Amino acid sequence: MCGIVGYIGTKKASPILINGLLRLEYRGYDSAGIATIEKSGISIMKDKGRVKNLYNLDGIDNLEGTIGIAHTRWATHGKPSKENSHPHSDNSKTFSVVHNGIIENYNELRKFLTDNGYTFYSQTDTEVIPNLIHYYYNKDSKNDDLKLLRAIKSACMDLKGSFAIEVLCKDFPDNMIVVRKDSPLVIGKGENENYISSDIPAILSFTRDFYLLNDYEFVVLSRNKAEFYDKDLKPINKDVKNIEWDASSAEKDGFDDYMLKEIYEQPNAIRETIGAKLNENSKCEFEELDFTKEYLLSLNKIYIVACGTAMHAGLSTRNTIEKLCKIPTEVDIASEFRYRDPLVNEKTLCIFISQSGETADTIAALKLCKEKGAKTLTITNVIGSSITREADYSIYTHAGPEIAVASTKAYTSQVVLLNILAIYFAETMGMTNPCIKDLKEEILNLPKKVEECLKISEKVKDFSKKVYNEKDIFFLGRGVDEVVAREGSLKLKEISYIHSESYAAGELKHGPIALIEKDITVIGIMTDPNLVEKTVSNLQEVITRGAKTMVISNQKIDDTMFEFVINIPNTHPFISPIISIIPLQLFSYYIAKEKGLDVDKPRNLAKSVTVE
Ligand code: F6R
């Protein structure tokens, strides 16, 4: 969802900017643009469509500037068009701005500026920003080095909503100013150069040293330094953080698509996530956490809050927490939870799951729980992401950068980590459950079992070829298998655009069975030994009505009943979703490929949803 790149240094900026935008493509966008400071002033090149179209714009090769800003836009206010693309300028063309986020009071600000003689040329909320900066810049009679910073700060204080912005000013040709509020932005430190990006992987090939910004921290960048100021424009110190990911882990490594690469990275991602936290013969360890037995025993509830696939990771693990810790656990969608005045207090532990750590609704839900006095714990994949700066505790999945929009390895790593967390809670609480030993052993076996499961790839591909032209596909399961059905259905609709629904198999008779007709495809997931018979009966009901069935199971079932059976490795039922989702990830991938779709960048979707 919108990407920002910036460069200030000694090299030609435009190729670096375009290259950075290409690396941010996965976030989702519909137009792109760059602005550089040239001898003649600020030059802006932008258009709707793909980043690579920028290479065809007249004059792009003549840009010599060594300072520039760049943006991929995902339309919110105003359709995708050249006019609405970023960078945007003020009326006097003194300032050029790119912006991620949403300015909620832009109508009010637009009216204020129009009343003060400003004209608007786009339908965007962003265009108020350069004009507002100009308004304050003009009003300031002092002509010192901080004049630009003061104007930007005053403008930012008027903005409601979320923003990460980069500003160029033709009067300060050797500087760039950046600031963020509730929208991601990082600064990569090089030798006599600084890189700016909304996402670490986009600039990982240039540096691994990063400054992570908090809300309302203003940064004045020059070639050889980054100066930080707080809200009151008092200088502040910032430490450089070294990021362990390397650039090659953010490349495709010979795979056709990031999604396929990330599916195949799961054994290793799980290994990294387990790390040193879990050991078969000793207690689980989380050095980041200091929960005492008394605190955990005092809890009246655990809330797990997240969006989309991350929410499914929560649902997959609710049962483990309740069974091992005997603490009632609720899982909710962040965008619903935050507006329903949830019953949260100091006796509630709130866990927020977010791969990106930038999801606006999840962060807002976390802030709400903090206000209500609960302890907040986040599970994320991105070190230093916004959510980690809000949460009381942060633990990391260590799945490595996930570039494809459809989440795969982040999901399985989240489920792994949540299961280990549940064991850690139970052990700290002194709960004794004989299944813990078995569960630990099975978690440690997961990387191998996932590797084994990936071998069924060709079989899944064969089935995908048979059904890729379907209009509707149904997914059924019970217990944790119902959550896997939801996640499989989400993956399929996201990247193949096939309409799909998932149901708790027992609900079928209560309505959805009316949709079953001859030749419709129904996928059943059956890993829970206690529920397998029941799901088989439900599948029998759809077969009777003419449905084609594919079954994913680690149980003994009558293969002859179903059109296609995918046998997967057996494991502890708490963690079976980590294995049973693999064939469904591959299924959606191969269907999308068969349809010739862009797997990594599905339409209308963004990797990181930084607005509500
Ligand atoms: C689906 C998918 C989304 C994300 C959701 C939350 O494949 O990727 O549903 O899971 O947007 O994103 P994060 O985890 O970054 O908060």
Side-chain angles (χ1 to χ4, degrees):
M1 179 157 288
C2 295
I4 282 185
V5 180
Y7 176 73
I8 175 163
T10 50
K11 301 180 194 121
K12 214 165 127 159
S14 54
I16 295 172
L17 297 172
I18 297 177
N19 192 285
L21 291 184
L22 286 170
R23 287 169 194 268
L24 287 179
E25 274 192 309
Y26 71 91
R27 292 170 66 94
Y29 72 101
D30 45 56
S31 39
I34 66 170
T36 52
I37 300 192
E38 301 295 316
K39 287 207 178 81
S40 52
I42 297 176
S43 161
I44 296 181
M45 305 260 173
K46 57 185 188 175
D47 210 348
K48 70 171 183 186
R50 290 292 190 200
V51 172
K52 64 176 171 10
N53 297 350
L54 292 174
Y55 288 123
N56 303 329
L57 296 180
D58 272 353
I60 197 102
D61 295 332
N62 304 332
L63 298 176
E64 295 294 336
T66 54
I67 300 183
I69 58 180
H71 189 261
T72 44
R73 172 174 186 255
W74 193 82
T76 54
H77 299 67
K79 62 180 189 325
S81 68
K82 183 171 178 178
E83 294 66 41
N84 288 334
S85 311
H86 299 214
H88 287 282
S89 305
D90 66 304
N91 287 176
S92 73
K93 309 257 186 282
T94 306
F95 304 97
S96 179
V97 169
V98 297
H99 159 232
N100 276 2
I102 287 187
I103 306 304
E104 287 163 4
N105 59 337
Y106 89 103
N107 267 327
E108 193 187 301
L109 293 172
R110 202 169 160 124
K111 179 167 182 325
F112 167 79
L113 289 163
T114 310
D115 292 347
N116 279 279
Y118 289 83
T119 307
F120 288 88
Y121 299 95
S122 78
Q123 294 136 10
T124 64
D125 51 343
T126 302
E127 204 183 352
V128 298
I129 303 175
N131 286 304
L132 203 54
I133 295 172
H134 178 264
Y135 170 82
Y136 284 113
Y137 191 75
N138 249 7
K139 263 182 48 171
D140 192 340
S141 51
K142 267 209 236 155
N143 264 325
D144 59 1
D145 286 353
L146 292 181
K147 180 173 169 133
L148 174 59
L149 182 61
R150 278 195 300 275
I152 293 172
K153 183 243 160 161
S154 302
C156 287
M157 290 308 165
D158 286 351
L159 305 178
K160 292 205 176 102
S162 57
F163 52 84
I165 58 178
E166 290 177 322
V167 186
L168 294 181
C169 172
K170 77 170 164 48
D171 300 343
F172 288 79
D174 294 311
N175 290 124
M176 177 193 309
I177 293 190
V178 305
V179 57
R180 57 156 273 169
K181 189 213 156 228
D182 295 334
S183 196
L185 199 71
V186 294
I187 294 168
K189 182 179 173 300
E191 271 302 308
N192 289 324
E193 56 188 3
N194 285 300
Y195 297 85
I196 302 93
S197 176
S198 36
D199 219 342
I200 289 173
I203 49 178
L204 259 184
S205 54
F206 302 114
T207 179
R208 291 221 218 147
D209 292 333
F210 286 86
Y211 295 109
L212 306 173
L213 298 184
N214 292 321
D215 284 355
Y216 290 113
E217 284 179 350
F218 295 83
V219 195
V220 181
L221 292 159
S222 34
R223 289 181 173 84
N224 56 2
K225 59 180 188 241
E227 294 165 296
F228 300 90
Y229 296 85
D230 69 8
K231 236 179 179 167
D232 302 317
L233 298 192
K234 292 213 180 74
I236 46 175
N237 285 328
K238 273 233 157 243
D239 291 334
V240 171
K241 200 167 176 75
N242 187 266
I243 301 290
E244 286 166 18
W245 294 350
D246 59 17
S248 77
S249 57
E251 304 285 352
K252 284 190 199 156
D253 270 354
F255 284 90
D256 285 351
D257 310 271
Y258 282 112
M259 183 177 174
L260 193 61
K261 176 189 170 229
E262 288 159 9
I263 290 175
Y264 275 87
E265 279 174 343
Q266 289 178 107
N268 215 26
I270 292 169
R271 242 174 238 123
E272 293 289 326
T273 296
I274 297 172
K277 295 186 174 64
L278 182 86
N279 188 311
E280 220 177 316
N281 301 314
S282 54
K283 286 189 173 172
C284 287
E285 286 194 30
F286 281 86
E287 57 191 27
E288 312 86 332
L289 306 180
D290 57 6
F291 297 147
T292 59
K293 177 175 183 174
E294 292 66 37
Y295 167 71
L296 290 168
L297 285 170
S298 77
L299 291 175
N300 57 17
K301 193 189 281 179
I302 293 180
Y303 265 120
I304 302 181
V305 182
C307 301
T309 290
M311 198 273 294
H312 293 161
L315 282 175
S316 304
T317 330
R318 176 175 53 191
N319 206 24
T320 318
I321 301 177
E322 290 199 336
K323 288 268 170 357
L324 297 188
C325 311
K326 310 282 178 233
I327 306 173
T329 303
E330 271 193 53
V331 182
D332 209 344
I333 300 168
S335 55
E336 291 294 318
F337 176 84
R338 60 184 285 201
Y339 292 115
R340 71 175 172 88
D341 195 13
L343 295 175
V344 169
N345 56 34
E346 62 290 344
K347 290 203 155 120
T348 324
L349 170 65
C350 299
I351 302 177
F352 301 85
I353 312 170
S354 175
Q355 186 286 130
S356 62
E358 302 296 345
T359 301
D361 280 316
T362 311
I363 296 174
L366 186 152
K367 287 182 180 166
L368 177 78
C369 293
K370 253 173 108 174
E371 275 164 28
K372 286 176 177 270
K375 279 204 163 97
T376 56
L377 159 65
T378 187
I379 295 181
T380 181
N381 195 34
V382 182
I383 293 169
S385 54
S386 302
I387 203 161
T388 62
R389 275 167 277 154
E390 299 291 343
D392 297 318
Y393 301 92
S394 303
I395 54 178
Y396 295 95
T397 39
H398 299 295
E402 192 181 64
I403 307 289
V405 165
S407 184
T408 54
K409 63 174 180 171
Y411 167 73
T412 44
S413 296
Q414 286 159 354
V415 182
V416 170
L417 195 55
L418 279 159
N419 272 282
I420 302 176
L421 191 66
I423 301 174
Y424 161 80
F425 286 167
E427 288 179 336
T428 310
M429 291 166 84
M431 307 296 258
T432 46
N433 188 324
C435 88
I436 289 185
K437 188 168 177 345
D438 188 27
L439 181 58
K440 280 183 166 179
E441 201 179 303
E442 281 302 322
I443 294 176
L444 291 166
N445 284 336
L446 271 173
K448 277 216 159 56
K449 292 198 174 176
V450 171
E451 247 157 44
E452 199 184 319
C453 188
L454 284 164
K455 293 189 187 142
I456 43 97
S457 167
E458 282 304 311
K459 198 164 180 196
V460 177
K461 194 174 181 178
D462 287 348
F463 187 68
S464 312
K465 281 188 176 156
K466 288 191 178 183
V467 297
Y468 77 95
N469 268 328
E470 299 289 301
K471 290 238 159 345
D472 313 278
I473 294 184
F474 291 85
F475 292 77
L476 300 179
R478 285 171 182 256
V480 282
D481 295 330
E482 187 267 329
V483 183
V484 174
R486 289 196 203 199
E487 175 58 9
S489 169
L490 177 66
K491 284 290 92 83
L492 184 70
K493 37 173 106 77
E494 266 184 301
I495 63 165
S496 76
Y497 317 145
I498 293 178
H499 168 246
S500 93
E501 299 282 347
S502 67
Y503 292 105
E507 271 295 289
L508 206 60
K509 288 195 205 58
H510 300 284
I513 200 161
L515 296 169
I516 303 299
E517 54 188 14
K518 190 167 173 336
D519 285 337
I520 205 137
T521 300
V522 178
I523 297 176
I525 302 109
M526 296 185 285
T527 66
D528 188 332
N530 298 320
L531 299 170
V532 65
E533 287 301 323
K534 302 208 179 295
T535 310
V536 167
S537 304
N538 298 126
L539 287 168
Q540 185 63 64
E541 287 156 9
V542 300
I543 292 170
T544 308
R545 285 158 184 84
K548 290 195 289 251
T549 48
M550 172 168 98
V551 156
I552 292 163
S553 185
N554 54 17
Q555 300 297 308
K556 262 204 154 46
I557 47 168
D558 175 5
D559 287 21
T560 56
M561 267 181 75
F562 310 105
E563 185 132 343
F564 232 79
V565 176
I566 306 274
N567 291 306
I568 56 168
N570 203 350
T571 188
H572 192 286
F574 288 168
I575 51 173
S576 68
I578 297 160
I579 298 184
S580 51
I581 193 59
I582 307 281
L584 296 180
Q585 294 170 343
L586 290 165
F587 178 65
S588 55
Y589 173 81
Y590 287 122
I591 287 198
K593 285 303 268 187
E594 208 57 49
K595 293 177 86 173
L597 298 171
D598 186 342
V599 177
D600 288 335
K601 297 188 284 285
R603 70 184 179 204
N604 305 338
L605 291 176
K607 182 67 183 162
S608 166
V609 184
T610 50
V611 294
E612 25 172 328

